[in-house]
Amino acid sequence: MQLNSLGFPRIGRRRELKFALEKYWRGEITQAELKAVASELRHTHWQWQADAGITQLPVGDFAFYDQVLTLSATLNAIPERHRGEGAIDLDTLFRVARGRAPSGKDAAASEMTKYFNTNYHYLVPELSAEQDFNVAYEQLFDEVAEVQALGHQAKPVLLGPVSFLYLSKTVGQDFDKLSLLPRLVGAYAEILQRFALQGVEWVQLDEPVLALELDNEWQAAFSPAYELLKAAKVKLLLASYYGSIAHHQPLVSALPVAGLHLDLVTAPEQLAVFVDALAPEQVLSLGVINGRNVWAAELDLLAEKLSPLTASLGERLWLGTSCSLLHSPVDLEVETQLAPELKQQLAFARQKLGELGQLRELLQHPASASARTIIETCAARRAAKASAADHEVQARVAALTTADYERDSDFGVRQQKQQQKYRLPLLPTTTIGSFPQTPAIRGLRSRWRKQELTDAAYTEQLQQVTRDTIARQLKLGIDVLVHGEAERNDMVEYFGEQLEGVGFTKHGWVQSYGSRCVKPPLIYGDVSRPKAMTVDWAVFAQSLTDKPVKGMLTGPVTILHWAFAREDISRDAIATQLALAIRDEVQDLQEAGIGIIQIDEPAFREGLPLKQSQWQHYLDWAVNAFKLSAAGVTDETQIHTHMCYSEFNDTIGAIAAMDADVITIETSRSRMELLSAFEDFEYPNEIGPGVYDIHSPNIPTVEAMVHLLEKAAAKIPLRQLWVNPDCGLKTRTWEEVEPALNNMVQATRELRRKLG
């Protein structure tokens, strides 16, 4: 019974890759030094997997920025504006991702968006009608040779051709993406042939689009593509995840592949559908260990369910994670400060590999002493979970009525009252919330956490940072200010640390994109807010100016999606508990005199089920959670929300139903294309389309932002428009932020003059 790893995190258990990347981008280390760090990480991760009993080690899961971008480079699908004079190299990838690299010319970065329903962001491939595909970048083949030199078998992992094409965007003339498939598959065949020549036995082709409800044209693309690939002298493992693919069973079972991987964490019911259709020699890989959460698996219950298959499939049965472990923190062993009763409930990526081995032990040797220990451990965990209930929170949820979810008046009435109160100019300017987290700020926080600074000294110094942030915004002439969030380590973790029923780690980092990592809280119990979380900072900032300063909160849906939430109750129940906690904070902010409050929901679309037929249930409870958090205020209090890196067309009706007074969105990388959804829908409330791509170090010009604003004004009535960056400015430097915001304000003033 083989154990199957679909992919491992690459950032390092202490974020070694993140720090090396950022040093390289700053010019502090050479590319050779960056590659040396990457090689050491790969060797460590491969050895961990080998020690856990994985015999086919994944290759292709490592990327310096994004694995989809690495594949685009391999296929020679790199935009012309990012190419240098020579061959595609590592700096080419950084120019695609960041708009800038240590070598080559700056160019607008490619669009970045969420990978299916995860918080991982991928670089969207840009394809033209004349696109030619061929092997143009050697990283994948070099890494196969690298793992083989260490004495291991390599299992290359690639996004499959249909999924790659589906996730791409067309540029230039309008054409059908599927017309490129024959050329694309030809390049994949070339890649597989190269692997075969290297002695590779198995290649994993990921086709997560199979979890979608594909139309007939996309379904029809699979058979000819895989018929062409079957000639390769390697065995293909077709893998899909994030949802059931049972609705495509006849299509999938007919494909000429040597093995099939199913995600049984999100869709255990699909196992029965595929077992009966399995070909006599075909391998079945079962994704039974959750690759997207940190809670230890109930291995004893899994073994009971899988035991009948052990006898019938024998060596054709593989045990695996549900998806790549990219979405999990790396290693629980470095968590030395977690409470033991919480730590015993957890399994990070390295421990999940161990769970595969334990599950195999239960299946192959159910009467052994080690099997009995595993079973006893699982039972103890379940007992600990049952004792963590908070009956007061549960009673408060049960007492909610329809009125708790609604504002007092409709938007038209609220808008008039808010305009009378704030007297904002046409095209009011604001930012999304955070300002640069400088090394000095991070150093302060580190010293405070080490108790080298008293609470009073820490607060005093952060107040000075806040004074400086307010002063800079006043000098720039921004209309609605923010306090800058210097006290916050992360937009979710900061709140998680202050909520009951929520724990946090020290090293539980997960890659979001590039070098950006987040540390999701652990929602282990019923959630409540014991005291105000942001009021003191908002009141202090507001005391520094007569201009309005926004209260800044993270919404319940985003906290849920960007946390590792308990699995023993429904997600909508957790969202409701979180919404009540945020509602309490909103009301306290209003009571303290904060009249504009932003409740960010950038993960709203991320939670959308992959199948459209399942959307409505999710949208109903997600919208209600936001409305519950925001509804307990007067008409004069202006509620903002923020969303980014999402396709809005699919959810625009639900976004309107959230009834935020103002929504700010990311639109600059798409050149305002995403705004069309709001135009077509005739979005009724106010909207701030981003005019400044904060994920690139490049400083946008006044002319470029005027152009974007004019495009926005052609789609949305002027009285509804706000002007703002795409997202928070935490990751940028003041040297980048101040000139960019100055240009944003100047662009706004220029457009105001043009419009009279």
Side-chain angles (χ1 to χ4, degrees):
M1 185 182 296
Q2 187 163 308
L3 306 182
N4 187 24
S5 172
L6 274 70
F8 199 81
R10 60 242 187 182
I11 207 71
R13 64 178 168 185
R14 298 188 185 275
R15 296 180 291 163
E16 293 90 340
L17 182 59
K18 166 192 170 65
F19 297 124
L21 282 167
E22 292 171 355
K23 286 180 180 178
Y24 175 66
W25 294 336
R26 292 192 299 263
E28 297 171 5
I29 62 172
T30 66
Q31 191 173 117
E33 290 172 309
L34 169 62
K35 289 183 175 180
V37 172
S39 179
E40 183 177 351
L41 285 172
R42 286 194 298 271
H43 291 190
T44 298
H45 299 162
W46 282 330
Q47 190 59 54
W48 285 349
Q49 292 173 88
D51 291 344
I54 309 295
T55 54
Q56 303 273 352
L57 301 185
V59 173
D61 54 345
F62 183 89
F64 285 93
Y65 202 97
D66 163 48
Q67 72 272 12
V68 179
L69 175 57
T70 304
L71 180 56
S72 295
T74 307
L75 295 166
N76 203 18
I78 294 295
E80 194 61 38
R81 67 184 182 277
H82 297 126
R83 294 175 180 268
E85 295 180 359
I88 294 172
D89 62 8
L90 189 55
D91 277 0
T92 310
L93 273 65
F94 294 146
R95 288 194 293 274
V96 174
R98 306 179 69 244
R100 177 184 297 182
S103 68
K105 296 179 180 179
D106 293 354
S110 287
E111 186 177 339
M112 184 167 64
T113 194
K114 299 288 181 72
Y115 190 69
F116 295 91
N117 59 355
T118 75
N119 186 34
Y120 178 77
H121 302 63
Y122 76 97
L123 272 297
V124 180
E126 300 177 21
L127 306 179
S128 67
E130 299 78 27
Q131 184 74 50
D132 190 22
F133 300 98
N134 58 278
V135 175
Y137 185 62
E138 295 292 315
Q139 179 179 332
L140 291 173
F141 310 107
D142 292 344
E143 289 175 7
V144 167
E146 186 179 0
V147 73
Q148 290 172 334
L150 296 172
H152 304 297
Q153 297 180 60
K155 183 194 65 175
V157 176
L158 301 177
L159 185 64
V162 181
S163 292
F164 177 83
L165 197 58
Y166 191 95
L167 295 178
S168 303
K169 66 180 292 185
T170 60
V171 294
Q173 68 190 79
D174 188 29
F175 68 98
D176 181 4
K177 284 193 293 189
L178 283 169
S179 65
L180 299 176
L181 188 60
R183 276 178 268 168
L184 177 62
V185 173
Y188 269 82
E190 182 183 355
I191 292 171
L192 297 181
Q193 181 61 25
R194 289 276 302 270
F195 288 148
L197 292 173
Q198 289 183 288
V200 167
E201 180 183 8
W202 282 91
V203 175
Q204 177 183 314
L205 291 182
D206 292 353
E207 293 285 8
V209 295
L210 284 167
L212 305 176
E213 291 167 331
L214 298 170
D215 62 28
N216 292 335
E217 289 76 14
W218 283 97
Q219 291 183 53
F222 277 91
S223 182
Y226 280 79
E227 282 296 326
L228 289 171
L229 295 179
K230 74 177 183 180
K233 296 181 180 179
V234 293
K235 296 178 181 178
L236 297 182
L237 177 70
L238 178 69
S240 195
Y241 35 78
Y242 306 149
S244 173
I245 62 172
H247 54 303
H248 293 313
Q249 181 271 318
L251 165 66
V252 172
S253 295
L255 294 177
V257 294
L260 176 65
H261 174 84
L262 301 174
D263 178 353
L264 298 187
V265 172
T266 59
E269 71 282 354
Q270 66 180 324
L271 175 60
V273 176
F274 283 97
V275 165
D276 293 339
L278 205 64
E281 302 301 321
Q282 212 169 26
V283 162
L284 183 60
S285 171
L286 304 183
V288 291
I289 301 299
N290 194 341
R292 293 182 61 177
N293 214 333
V294 295
W295 306 103
E298 296 188 318
L299 298 172
D300 53 344
L301 303 183
L302 281 174
E304 288 180 16
K305 294 175 182 177
L306 299 180
S307 182
L309 285 177
T310 305
S312 60
L313 292 180
E315 291 303 311
R316 293 163 56 212
L317 178 66
W318 291 7
L319 300 176
T321 54
S322 61
C323 58
S324 170
L325 293 170
L326 172 69
H327 310 296
S328 294
V330 177
D331 188 8
L332 185 62
E333 289 306 307
V334 296
E335 296 296 336
T336 58
Q337 298 178 17
L338 275 176
E341 59 270 20
L342 179 56
K343 188 173 182 177
Q344 70 171 351
Q345 302 276 353
L346 304 175
F348 291 0
R350 191 178 180 189
Q351 287 68 46
K352 289 178 184 296
L353 299 174
E355 288 187 318
L356 289 175
Q358 291 177 325
L359 180 57
R360 179 168 61 181
E361 176 69 14
L362 287 174
L363 289 170
Q364 293 185 333
H365 306 102
S368 66
S370 56
R372 286 195 297 274
T373 300
I374 295 167
I375 293 169
E376 290 169 0
T377 300
C378 291
R381 289 195 191 111
R382 283 193 288 273
K385 287 180 184 177
S387 65
D390 186 328
H391 299 295
E392 288 186 13
V393 173
Q394 295 172 4
R396 188 180 179 194
V397 170
L400 289 170
T401 67
T402 303
D404 293 315
Y405 294 84
E406 302 297 334
R407 297 288 294 271
D408 292 338
S409 305
D410 64 24
F411 172 69
V413 173
R414 303 198 308 265
Q415 185 182 41
Q416 288 184 357
K417 292 182 179 180
Q418 292 161 15
Q419 288 174 346
Q420 291 169 2
K421 180 177 180 179
Y422 299 111
R423 301 292 180 183
L424 296 173
L426 188 71
L427 301 171
T429 55
T430 190
T431 62
I432 303 306
S434 60
F435 270 94
Q437 288 266 325
T438 63
I441 292 172
R442 293 194 297 271
L444 276 176
R445 185 177 301 117
S446 175
R447 291 169 58 203
W448 174 64
R449 289 192 182 280
K450 294 175 183 176
Q451 298 184 333
E452 296 171 2
L453 273 182
T454 65
D455 290 353
Y458 179 60
T459 299
E460 181 180 353
Q461 293 192 53
L462 287 185
Q463 284 179 340
Q464 186 54 48
V465 174
T466 304
R467 288 189 186 95
D468 177 67
T469 301
I470 294 292
R472 290 177 191 253
Q473 293 172 84
L474 291 172
K475 184 178 179 180
L476 287 165
I478 292 173
D479 299 309
V480 175
L481 313 186
V482 297
H483 79 285
E485 304 178 14
E487 79 285 0
R488 302 186 190 184
N489 46 10
D490 174 79
M491 67 179 292
V492 172
E493 184 181 6
Y494 176 78
F495 292 94
E497 290 178 336
Q498 301 184 76
L499 294 170
E500 294 290 344
V502 182
F504 50 93
T505 64
K506 187 175 182 180
H507 300 289
W509 297 100
V510 178
Q511 185 181 16
S512 180
Y513 61 86
S515 67
R516 170 73 171 142
C517 300
V518 295
K519 188 147 56 73
L522 313 171
I523 302 177
Y524 64 83
D526 293 309
V527 179
S528 62
R529 186 203 70 147
K531 62 181 181 179
M533 302 179 285
T534 67
V535 173
D536 288 347
W537 286 108
V539 169
F540 174 76
Q542 187 62 79
S543 73
L544 303 174
T545 177
D546 292 332
K547 284 190 172 183
V549 178
K550 288 190 287 189
M552 299 300 306
L553 305 174
T554 303
V557 178
T558 295
I559 293 177
L560 172 63
H561 291 325
W562 290 358
F564 291 121
R566 56 193 292 195
E567 298 174 327
D568 57 323
I569 67 172
S570 68
R571 294 179 73 79
D572 56 314
I574 301 172
T576 302
Q577 293 181 4
L578 287 165
L580 285 171
I582 299 301
R583 181 188 181 96
D584 291 344
E585 190 73 12
V586 169
Q587 291 175 332
D588 282 354
L589 284 167
Q590 178 183 258
E591 184 70 22
I594 306 301
I596 300 180
I597 302 169
Q598 183 169 309
I599 307 171
D600 287 344
E601 287 291 17
F604 182 83
R605 194 192 186 286
E606 180 181 309
L608 202 64
L610 296 184
K611 294 175 179 60
Q612 190 167 354
S613 60
Q614 300 171 1
W615 284 2
Q616 197 56 54
H617 173 68
Y618 165 75
L619 291 173
D620 287 345
W621 66 254
V623 167
N624 279 339
F626 179 86
K627 291 173 70 176
L628 179 62
S629 71
V633 294
T634 65
D635 290 347
E636 288 80 7
T637 295
Q638 189 176 73
I639 297 293
H640 290 224
T641 191
H642 172 69
M643 295 182 180
C644 56
Y645 300 102
S646 298
E647 294 292 339
F648 297 109
N649 302 65
D650 298 333
T651 57
I652 186 65
I655 292 171
M658 293 166 67
D659 199 25
D661 298 305
V662 182
I663 181 173
T664 53
I665 60 172
E666 171 271 326
T667 52
S668 68
R669 282 202 179 193
S670 69
R671 284 66 168 174
M672 293 291 167
E673 290 175 11
L674 296 177
L675 199 57
S676 297
F678 293 82
E679 176 194 21
D680 297 341
F681 183 78
E682 298 183 358
Y683 186 74
N685 298 12
E686 297 178 16
I687 181 168
V691 296
Y692 160 28
D693 175 15
I694 67 91
H695 291 294
S696 170
N698 298 339
I699 297 169
T701 64
V702 172
E703 293 75 18
M705 286 193 274
V706 167
H707 176 65
L708 289 177
L709 283 171
E710 288 176 333
K711 290 183 71 174
K715 297 175 181 291
I716 303 295
L718 278 175
R719 283 292 173 189
Q720 290 177 237
L721 278 177
W722 286 61
V723 181
N724 45 262
D726 273 344
C727 204
L729 300 166
K730 173 182 176 179
T731 60
R732 301 264 59 91
T733 66
W734 279 111
E735 290 74 20
E736 297 161 341
V737 164
E738 283 195 292
L741 291 181
N742 181 66
N743 288 352
M744 184 186 83
V745 172
Q746 295 307 315
T748 305
R749 290 172 177 168
E750 182 174 326
L751 189 57
R752 286 172 184 162
R753 286 193 297 269
K754 282 186 178 183
L755 298 170

